[in-house]
Amino acid sequence: MDFDQADAVNQAIRLLSLRHRARIAELLAPHGLHPGQEALLLELARTGPMIQAQLSEALGVERPSVTLMARKLEAAGHIRRSSAPGDQRATVVELTDGGRALTDQVKQLWCVLAQETVAGLSAGTVAELPGLLRTLARNVDTRHPHRRRDDAAPGPRPEDPPA
Amino acid sequence: MDFDQADAVNQAIRLLSLRHRARIAELLAPHGLHPGQEALLLELARTGPMIQAQLSEALGVERPSVTLMARKLEAAGHIRRSSAPGDQRATVVELTDGGRALTDQVKQLWCVLAQETVAGLSAGTVAELPGLLRTLARNVDTRHPHRRRDDAAPGPRPEDPPA
DNA sequence: TAAGATTAGTTATGCGGATAACGTTAGGCG
DNA sequence: CGCCTAACGTTATCCGCATAACTAATCTTA
């Protein structure tokens, strides 16, 4: 692939990341939330009480990130944390009543955001979009590297220019 | 749009952002660069010397972010900063020779990354991808809000800001 | 020309997210 | 049983990116 094409792809992904996150921030700000926190709340609403390690896995972020976010959401009263029965290492996280109410609000914003995002696209494109994006994400996933058949042997590239 | 569909879209975008950036970090690390810095270098390589304000605009990030990144890239010797002739406020940023060489390396990584990202997609899909992603980004752009529907009068607002 | 608004840049601070190093608890297995 | 390893969580530190508040320079314009 030539550079211009690669740049178009990479830059578009970068820009989308930036803008989408910025819009999330804007929508979340009135509720006192920051981008990333909504994902944690939504995951708890979806799956119910869970261990921080599971949250880390589900959210696709590292464990220290979960620790800090969870601490702040707990301080804000949105979630509750307690040590897991039967495993003193683990910490169970769950929504409080207030957190559940807040999450209901967030769900609304989530719909607003998605609708804004796909404005002007055909229904077919919208339907295919999540699958397409997930494919892209999976292709560059470094947490759960899955075998892509061709493309690259695990070793270094055939030629390395720094000479 | 119902929540499940919205969630699929938003979460896919979030995941792609996270993974794509993580992969960039992995590719850039051997060169001592962090994600975001490569965009600055590539922009300078593309457009030539420019003012930080223009960089901020081109990169889609705020000015303080440019200040800090530029400071670090300057400290690393990749770029040079000098006050603009004819405007004492402005700071011209340009690649050093070393920076240009590094950027050539980065261009290679950029191609590798894009190729990984679109692995398994048809040529047609790949061709349409940048346009699609840019549409999404534009739809949620808060920096250059463009009127999607008529929604707001383009000219002066009906109500005046605090006088 | 002098006053006000605009623009460029910086500093301070906060958040999400990453890695590295550490302490603690569980579990596997001689 | 005791040891060693793995897993969970936390702390510390770094970076990108954001907003708010500030200085300094430029442009308007009255």
Side-chain angles (χ1 to χ4, degrees):
Chain A
M1 180 180 306
D2 67 357
F3 172 72
D4 286 341
Q5 200 179 351
D7 191 49
V9 171
N10 292 329
Q11 198 155 14
I13 293 175
R14 178 173 173 276
L15 237 289
L16 174 58
S17 303
L18 246 33
R19 296 294 133 247
H20 190 255
R21 188 181 181 88
R23 183 62 180 136
I24 290 175
E26 209 172 58
L27 292 170
L28 253 36
H31 299 274
L33 289 177
H34 296 268
Q37 300 182 332
E38 90 287 353
L40 198 157
L41 295 178
L42 289 171
E43 182 60 33
L44 285 182
R46 189 173 337 175
T47 312
M50 52 199 304
I51 297 302
Q52 283 185 194
Q54 294 174 319
L55 262 175
S56 162
E57 180 62 30
L59 299 178
V61 302
E62 296 300 323
R63 255 132 46 183
S65 304
V66 174
T67 295
L68 298 177
M69 265 196 313
R71 265 186 154 6
K72 283 162 192 168
L73 289 173
E74 182 185 35
H78 304 318
I79 65 175
R80 183 183 9 245
R81 302 167 61 202
S82 47
S83 63
D87 191 340
Q88 285 311 109
R89 300 170 299 179
T91 302
V92 176
V93 181
E94 59 186 330
L95 288 173
T96 62
D97 289 352
R100 197 176 312 276
L102 176 61
T103 304
D104 286 343
Q105 307 282 344
V106 170
K107 286 183 183 177
Q108 312 261 7
L109 302 182
W110 219 227
C111 292
V112 169
L113 173 61
Q115 211 153 347
E116 280 185 18
T117 304
V118 302
L121 270 51
S122 73
T125 304
V126 172
E128 290 172 4
L129 188 59
L132 172 60
L133 297 178
R134 274 194 288 261
T135 296
L136 300 178
R138 209 178 54 230
N139 280 344
V140 291
D141 196 336
T142 56
R143 283 166 69 94
H144 308 294
H146 65 113
R147 297 285 121 246
R148 262 189 318 275
R149 27 138 201 91
D150 66 350
D151 173 42
R157 307 293 297 147
E159 89 275 4
D160 255 348
Chain B
M1 179 179 305
D2 67 354
F3 172 72
D4 286 341
Q5 202 179 349
D7 191 49
V9 171
N10 292 329
Q11 198 154 11
I13 293 176
R14 177 174 173 275
L15 237 289
L16 173 58
S17 304
L18 246 34
R19 294 294 133 247
H20 191 254
R21 186 180 182 88
R23 183 63 180 135
I24 291 176
E26 209 173 58
L27 291 170
L28 254 35
H31 299 272
L33 289 177
H34 296 269
Q37 300 182 331
E38 89 288 352
L40 198 157
L41 295 177
L42 288 171
E43 183 58 34
L44 285 181
R46 188 173 323 149
T47 311
M50 52 198 304
I51 297 303
Q52 283 186 192
Q54 294 174 319
L55 262 175
S56 161
E57 178 63 30
L59 299 178
V61 302
E62 296 300 323
R63 248 114 73 165
S65 303
V66 173
T67 295
L68 298 177
M69 264 197 312
R71 264 183 154 9
K72 283 163 193 167
L73 289 173
E74 183 185 35
H78 304 317
I79 65 174
R80 183 180 12 238
R81 302 167 59 200
S82 47
S83 64
D87 192 340
Q88 286 311 108
R89 300 171 300 180
T91 302
V92 177
V93 181
E94 60 187 328
L95 287 173
T96 61
D97 287 353
R100 198 175 312 276
L102 176 60
T103 305
D104 287 342
Q105 308 281 345
V106 169
K107 286 183 183 178
Q108 312 261 8
L109 302 182
W110 219 226
C111 292
V112 169
L113 173 62
Q115 212 153 343
E116 280 185 16
T117 305
V118 302
L121 269 52
S122 73
T125 304
V126 173
E128 290 172 4
L129 188 60
L132 172 61
L133 297 178
R134 274 193 289 262
T135 295
L136 300 178
R138 210 178 54 229
N139 280 344
V140 291
D141 197 335
T142 55
R143 282 166 69 95
H144 309 292
H146 64 111
R147 34 229 152 271
R148 273 181 286 281
R149 354 166 246 284
D150 41 69
D151 166 47
R157 298 288 301 113
E159 59 162 89
D160 286 336

